[in-house]
Amino acid sequence: MIKKILLLGMFATLGLGCKSPKAVTQESSKSEKKESDLKEYSQVITAKAKSDEGLFTTHFVDDKLYFEIPTELFEKDMLLVSRIAGVPSRFGGGYVNAGSKVNEQVVRWVKRDGNVDMKVISFENQSDEESPIYKSVQANNFFPILFSSKIETWNNDSTSVVIDASGLFEKEVDAINGISSSLRKRYKVKKLDNSRSYIESAHAYPKNIEVKHVMTYEAETPPDRDQAGTISMLLNQSMILLPEDKMRPRLANDRVGWFTIDKYDYDSEELKADDYEIIRRWKLVPKDIEAYKRGELVEPVEPIVYYLDPATPEKWRPYFKQGIEDWNVAFEKAGFKNAIIAKDPPSKEEDPGFSPEDVRYSVVRYVASTTRNAMGPSVSDPRTGEIIESDIIWYHNHLRSYRNRFMIEAGAQNPKARTLNTPEEEIGEMMRMVIAHEVGHALGLPHNMKASSAYPTDSLRSAEFTQKYGLTPSIMDYARVNYVAQPGDEDVRYIRMLGPYDLYAINWGYRFLPEADSAKEEKATLDKWILEKAGDPVYEFGNGYSGADPQSQRESLGADQIKASEYGIANLKKVVPNLVDWTSKDGYGYGELAEVYRELGYMWRGYLSHVVTNIGGVYETRKTSDQAGVVYEPVPSDIQKNAVKFLNEEAFTTPNWMLNQDLLGRIEASEAIDRIQSIQTWTLERLLKKDRLKRMITNEEVNAKKAYSSVEMMEDVRKGIFSELYNSRKTDAYRRNLQRSYVDIASAYLKELKERENDEVLKSDIMALMRGEMEQLKADINRRKNRVDHQLTRFHWNDLLARIDAATLNEI
């Protein structure tokens, strides 16, 4: 009898060993269920539940949101993308809009006894699992738990667990929070008000979950007084299943502009953790690799498809679709045909499951908003850089921006720009190119602000040149309207378009390289392509972030920024006298006139800024150590000196052309002086920034004979701004304001001696430079202040003396 029991036990054991792992898991799960004494499924997910099946099944039961998570999805990588879906008026000063991304992080759902944890996973630090250092990398990059919830129940066949996910969206979780620390401080946010925070919706799709939730914060100083001491915002959380079949990454190279992801390789043979970057791009694989190898154009296995938002007005749809498919010419350079496709939104009959929220669909969204902007965000796999999905955002009022800019920058040269009702062909072309620019971002390309400096400035006045090459080699530059063209320049192109750099960059990033077995093996080929273009400014990249390179600036045009700004201001001077006629409409006031005139002032300021950057400027040409020549080269002294001469004439001389009384008398009572002072002071502050002065002082030491010295620059500026003093003439109100600004800016440096806050400036030659300037100006005023027979001017000189004394006598 004992033997029979032992045999039965042995057969039972053998029988268990023959079961599938899934069966074992299910039995184990059922055992856990009994042991933990969980509720029955129907007691948790009741008949009142509003359910949606997809990646997870989501259930709303009363005021709770439940996730039903299949056990097969435990330990799977998912991308959690947090976006702002709705913001209060004037939030973030108007610069934080619906659609703004807050965070992007990889998460995994992990079962832990009777709980499920959501862990944040990082792929920044990497090591091969077989490498000895792998355990150390894991130990020193322990993954934090973002959210945890106990298991409420299992589904009927024990293949899924059910958790209450409400706490993730109703409580304040920093990693998905919509209010940054700076805005929290700005609005004096106290805490989250749980009673006014709730989940609005949850939808499940085959590859993603979308949850919208309202977060309400108590705030002492909300952006709008009507908000009753609160800030409420709508957040959207997207949880996206990342692909099992990982795309081969492509190593980045900063000589070609791409959005990138940082990585650290601990298996490197270098005597350090090898830091590198991979680019963000869509996964394009040829359908016929052999034909592709032969140089034939081949369609990709999965093309990039963009759907238009159903809200897109019918008359704009052709321009949007053209802007998307314009990129096919670039993909053809990479060996692909029909790589990117634009489609109208499907009808309910064609695709009843279509939703812009579904990660399977990339959509150009048309947003009814007063925001004047467009965006090209994308979602990418941080493991490989593969772009998973993208939603281009077009805000309706962006039309207004381009209508105004076209009038301001092309009105002098182009009769079609002399109306607020811009002809459809022109505004449609602008929309097309804005969409193409944003699609460029969504393909992985950042701004290339250096591109505009590749073309000779006067070439932009040529119809033959601009119609063939556009305004810049890259549509990813900010070169919106051809302000260089002058009246009489016939048939020139006014709107940007794709250029040779864009084709080059797409080929570099998307060309399929079947002969390589790894990202490292691709590098030699990719580097070779860069070296083939080295020295040609058409193929150079610069993001414009440093603020030091005049050849890499937003909104600038042409290789000669001074000449381009001369052309631009010449056009503005012709536009101002016509604005009343071009903006007036019978039966309406002058609101449009005021808006366009204000924006014209911003254009003037921008042209001045382009010139300022040349002073103390440094040209940057990105190179690797195998290329000859330096990376950084100071702007030649004659260009810098000419830039100061330009500023004295076009920035610091009273702009009487802006003071058109027929215009000003229709829009304001007395703001002209303040407006001009604001623009002139802004320009002067940029000119006298410490970083610029430090570069000039450094250059003097390195290139003593060739450099435009800081002392010489300050003297040239002083003699221009105070020309009335040196020529014994009276000053007008505009010049007095500018001269006060000059003294105040220089004095602010000296006052730092007393406050002792900026050690970097205190120990630099800037202090000696500013003290010397103030002493020289004081001496000059004392010698010349009584040479002019104008009482207010003499009072003004005495006021400046008092300001200088206050700065120089009391700084310590």
Side-chain angles (χ1 to χ4, degrees), residues 533-548:
K533 302 296 186 183
D536 188 339
V538 167
Y539 301 102
E540 288 186 6
F541 171 74
N543 55 32
Y545 293 151
S546 73

Side-chain angles (χ1 to χ4, degrees), residues 701-718:
E701 294 301 313
V702 178
N703 301 292
K705 293 182 179 180
K706 297 181 180 180
Y708 181 45
S709 72
S710 57
V711 172
E712 187 180 0
M713 184 273 284
M714 293 295 292
E715 182 179 6
D716 288 344
V717 173
R718 171 169 39 84

Side-chain angles (χ1 to χ4, degrees), residues 1 45 56 76 80 103 116 125 139 141 181 245 304 315 323 333 347 373 393 419 432 469 543 609 635 685 716 741 778:
M1 186 65 178
I45 308 303
F56 303 165
K76 299 292 185 182
L80 178 60
N103 202 357
V116 172
N125 300 297
N141 294 276
S181 57
D245 181 18
I304 303 164
K315 71 175 181 177
K333 285 290 183 181
S347 65
N373 197 10
I393 301 174
T419 173
R432 170 186 177 181
Y469 298 108
N543 55 32
S609 176
V635 173
E685 286 173 340
D716 288 344
S741 292
K778 179 179 178 180

Side-chain angles (χ1 to χ4, degrees), residues 680-812:
Q680 290 182 327
T681 299
W682 183 89
T683 303
L684 187 57
E685 286 173 340
R686 285 181 63 84
L687 177 61
L688 301 183
K689 283 181 66 174
K690 72 175 188 299
D691 290 345
R692 189 178 318 284
L693 296 173
K694 284 176 63 179
R695 288 195 298 269
M696 296 187 77
I697 292 167
T698 300
N699 189 32
E700 291 173 48
E701 294 301 313
V702 178
N703 301 292
K705 293 182 179 180
K706 297 181 180 180
Y708 181 45
S709 72
S710 57
V711 172
E712 187 180 0
M713 184 273 284
M714 293 295 292
E715 182 179 6
D716 288 344
V717 173
R718 171 169 39 84
K719 287 183 175 178
I721 289 177
F722 291 90
S723 61
E724 294 90 346
L725 175 69
Y726 295 109
N727 293 294
S728 301
R729 296 197 309 264
K730 72 175 185 179
T731 59
D732 62 29
Y734 299 95
R735 294 282 286 179
R736 291 194 294 271
N737 274 341
L738 175 62
Q739 290 158 4
R740 277 189 284 268
S741 292
Y742 181 88
V743 171
D744 290 346
I745 292 168
S747 297
Y749 279 109
L750 299 180
K751 288 177 182 176
E752 291 186 14
L753 279 174
K754 182 179 180 181
E755 296 167 1
R756 314 296 296 184
E757 289 183 357
N758 193 331
D759 196 54
E760 179 187 7
V761 173
L762 294 178
K763 293 181 179 179
S764 75
D765 284 331
I766 296 174
M767 303 304 294
L769 180 67
M770 291 302 166
R771 187 193 295 276
E773 265 301 300
M774 290 297 93
E775 289 175 349
Q776 182 64 57
L777 181 58
K778 179 179 178 180
D780 291 344
I781 292 174
N782 277 322
R783 281 197 304 268
R784 299 169 180 269
K785 64 179 180 178
N786 294 319
R787 294 184 185 181
V788 62
D789 186 20
H790 184 250
Q791 191 69 28
L792 189 51
T793 296
R794 290 200 298 270
F795 288 165
H796 170 62
W797 298 140
N798 286 327
D799 175 63
L800 292 185
L801 289 172
R803 291 170 185 252
I804 293 171
D805 285 342
T808 57
L809 298 179
N810 299 310
E811 70 267 15
I812 299 178

Side-chain angles (χ1 to χ4, degrees), residues 557-618:
L557 282 178
D560 186 337
Q561 295 78 40
I562 300 173
K563 180 182 285 189
S565 291
E566 287 174 347
Y567 283 138
I569 292 175
N571 285 333
L572 296 186
K573 291 176 179 178
K574 296 179 179 70
V575 167
V576 169
N578 293 288
L579 284 182
V580 174
D581 290 337
W582 294 351
T583 61
S584 295
K585 185 177 180 181
D586 290 347
Y588 291 84
Y590 293 106
E592 300 273 26
L593 172 63
E595 177 179 298
V596 173
Y597 178 73
R598 181 178 65 250
E599 293 182 19
L600 184 144
Y602 297 151
M603 300 295 176
W604 174 45
R605 188 181 74 176
Y607 299 157
L608 301 179
S609 176
H610 296 159
V611 174
V612 169
T613 310
N614 283 274
I615 303 161
V618 178

Side-chain angles (χ1 to χ4, degrees), residues 449-450 542-554 613 616-620 622 632 686 689 691-692 695:
M449 300 304 185
K450 199 173 184 69
N543 55 32
Y545 293 151
S546 73
D549 185 354
Q551 304 284 41
S552 187
Q553 300 189 75
R554 57 192 297 163
T613 310
V618 178
Y619 299 140
E620 179 188 26
R622 299 185 178 203
Y632 300 103
R686 285 181 63 84
K689 283 181 66 174
D691 290 345
R692 189 178 318 284
R695 288 195 298 269

